[in-house]
């Protein structure tokens, strides 16, 4: 199995086979991360396309100062945030008011018994600013080590832990607001 | 008190809700779409080069035509003092308007 360094060098030379190998290795990770941001399977696919286009075009700029996965995750985080923020701005301009209510996002991979709770989790994530959302997605949804999250976000481990603490606090407050409605639907 | 405890338990449960979930997979046709997009973006650069060549060729032809016209006019004037075209259009069918012999 070829290592990441050889693959990215191949992609930089325009080797289509190397690009396919890279895609097979990283497409699921890229897609799932994008899905956590967009909460829509089609939009996540659009972001995934953009990410791999960027990887193909800028493979030659990868100097190997970080792991290839770190570099790729940085691209997917930035592309996802830009996509989501652009969509928010366009929606606000179109509606000329607050953001419209959206139906709860059902993640395709969630266990059946957790679907409702997972939908509440993604809803609560909406209240987070970009940096807290990124730290939360990479740590709790993508299950990455905090050290790796810090490298992707180009910040310190301490900063990531602080972001996660604040993210959980904010989400907890948001979930406590949702809880009364949940109890009503149970009864 | 009981309700508050239940609420906190539920919130904790929400934070754990993604544990054990499987990864979502993208559409199998996605890679083909990406390949097509790459080919399309690479194809765009060729017409631009051709366009520049075409413009350069058109300018060259224009310069050559203008030069040819200028040289033709200069050649006309330098041989007679007047251009051939002037001589041709100034002569008329009738020279003195005497149509009857005297």
């Amino acid at each position: 199995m070829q290592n990441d360094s050889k693959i990215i060098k191949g992609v930089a030379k325009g080797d289509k086979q190397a690009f396919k190998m890279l895609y097979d290795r990283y497409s699921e990770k890229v897609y799932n991360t994008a899905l956590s941001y967009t909460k829509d399977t089609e939009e996540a696919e659009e972001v995934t396309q953009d990410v791999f286009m960027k990887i193909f075009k800028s493979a030659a700029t990868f100097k190997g100062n970080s792991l290839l996965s770190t570099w790729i995750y940085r691209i997917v985080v930035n592309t996802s945030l830009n996509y989501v923020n652009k969509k928010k701005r366009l929606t606000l301009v179109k509606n000329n008011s607050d953001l419209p209510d959206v139906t709860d996002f059902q993640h395709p991979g969630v266990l059946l018994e957790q679907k409702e709770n997972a939908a509440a989790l993604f809803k609560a994530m909406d209240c987070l600013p970009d940096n807290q959302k990124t730290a939360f997605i990479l740590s709790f949804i993508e299950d990455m080590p905090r050290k790796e999250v810090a490298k992707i976000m180009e910040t310190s481990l301490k900063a990531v832990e602080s972001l996660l603490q604040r993210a959980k606090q904010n989400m907890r407050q948001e979930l406590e607001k949702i809880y009364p409605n949940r109890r009503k639907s149970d009864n | 008190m009981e309700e508050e405890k239940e609420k906190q338990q539920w919130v904790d449960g929400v934070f754990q809700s993604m544990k054990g979930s499987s990864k979502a997979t993208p559409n199998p046709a996605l890679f083909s779409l990406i390949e097509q997009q790459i080919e399309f973006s690479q194809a765009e650069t060729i017409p631009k080069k051709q366009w520049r060549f075409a413009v350069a060729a058109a300018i060259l032809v224009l310069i050559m035509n203008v030069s040819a016209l200028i040289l033709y006019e200069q050649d006309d004037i330098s041989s007679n003092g007047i251009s051939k075209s002037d001589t041709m259009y100034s002569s008329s069918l009738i020279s003195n308007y005497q149509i009857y012999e005297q």
Side-chain angles (χ1 to χ4, degrees):
Chain A
M1 189 162 133
Q2 279 201 31
N3 67 31
D4 279 353
S5 172
K6 275 190 178 162
I7 291 175
I8 197 68
K9 279 179 183 162
V11 174
K13 289 176 187 167
D15 181 351
K16 289 190 177 173
Q17 219 171 358
F19 187 60
K20 179 72 171 67
M21 280 175 74
L22 185 85
Y23 180 83
D24 289 341
R25 205 172 274 196
Y26 286 101
S27 57
E28 208 173 77
K29 292 181 167 100
V30 169
Y31 176 70
N32 276 275
T33 307
L35 191 59
S36 295
Y37 283 97
T38 60
K39 298 186 291 183
D40 180 286
T41 52
E42 278 181 25
E43 289 177 3
E45 283 180 359
E46 227 181 287
V47 169
T48 304
Q49 252 184 286
D50 283 348
V51 167
F52 278 97
M53 282 296 294
K54 284 178 186 175
I55 291 172
F56 185 83
K57 285 180 182 173
S58 58
T61 65
F62 177 68
K63 301 292 175 210
N65 296 332
S66 63
L67 292 173
L68 180 62
S69 58
T70 305
W71 184 68
I72 289 174
Y73 268 107
R74 276 187 205 140
I75 296 174
V76 74
V77 164
N78 288 332
T79 308
S80 301
L81 284 173
N82 288 341
Y83 187 95
V84 165
N85 290 333
K86 186 180 175 184
K87 189 185 163 192
K88 257 189 218 169
R89 283 195 301 270
L90 288 171
T91 311
L92 282 168
V93 166
K94 228 176 168 179
N95 295 342
N96 200 25
S97 64
D98 292 332
L99 291 167
D101 283 337
V102 287
T103 51
D104 289 347
F105 167 59
Q106 300 287 342
H107 190 287
V110 164
L111 298 167
L112 193 64
E113 60 268 28
Q114 294 288 7
K115 278 199 182 293
E116 199 187 304
N117 284 354
L121 181 77
F122 281 99
K123 195 168 186 171
M125 265 168 47
D126 275 345
C127 76
L128 299 177
D130 290 351
N131 53 1
Q132 288 178 23
K133 191 184 282 185
T134 299
F136 188 85
I137 287 172
L138 294 178
S139 303
F140 287 101
I141 308 210
E142 293 304 301
D143 231 355
M144 296 180 85
R146 308 275 164 101
K147 255 186 171 175
E148 184 58 23
V149 174
K151 284 180 186 166
I152 293 167
M153 294 183 72
E154 294 180 283
T155 189
S156 65
L157 182 60
K158 219 175 176 180
V160 167
E161 280 167 3
S162 167
L163 286 170
L164 286 170
Q165 198 178 22
R166 281 184 280 151
K168 283 190 94 171
Q169 248 168 30
N170 290 334
M171 286 176 71
R172 195 168 275 275
Q173 283 172 12
E174 201 62 27
L175 288 167
E176 284 170 7
K177 285 183 206 168
I178 297 170
Y179 182 76
N181 296 334
R182 179 203 171 265
R183 288 220 72 197
K184 280 178 196 166
S185 67
D186 274 0
N187 299 334
Chain B
M1 193 73 172
E2 190 62 32
E3 199 183 306
E4 185 60 32
K5 195 180 170 186
E6 271 181 27
K7 194 199 300 184
Q8 293 308 321
Q9 278 178 345
W10 176 74
V11 169
D12 291 339
V14 166
F15 281 122
Q16 299 298 316
S17 59
M18 287 301 288
K19 288 248 185 297
S21 62
S22 53
K23 295 289 181 194
T25 45
N27 185 339
L30 190 59
F31 184 69
S32 310
L33 285 171
I34 294 168
E35 274 188 314
Q36 279 174 27
Q37 218 178 334
I38 289 171
E39 276 175 32
F40 181 73
S41 69
Q42 285 177 331
E44 275 176 2
T45 59
I46 299 165
K48 274 183 193 166
K49 283 182 193 168
Q50 285 180 345
W51 177 76
R52 279 183 205 137
F53 180 75
V55 166
I59 291 170
L60 188 65
V61 165
L62 191 68
I63 291 169
M64 283 167 64
N65 282 338
V66 167
S67 309
L69 268 170
I70 293 168
L71 283 169
Y72 179 74
E73 281 290 309
Q74 279 177 352
D75 186 43
D76 261 355
I77 292 163
S78 65
S79 59
N80 304 337
I82 47 169
S83 70
K84 280 180 190 155
S85 55
D86 284 350
T87 317
M88 218 163 26
Y89 290 110
S90 66
S91 65
S92 56
L93 285 171
I94 305 168
S95 59
N96 58 5
Y97 299 98
Q98 296 277 345
I99 56 171
Y100 298 108
E101 279 186 11
Q102 287 182 345

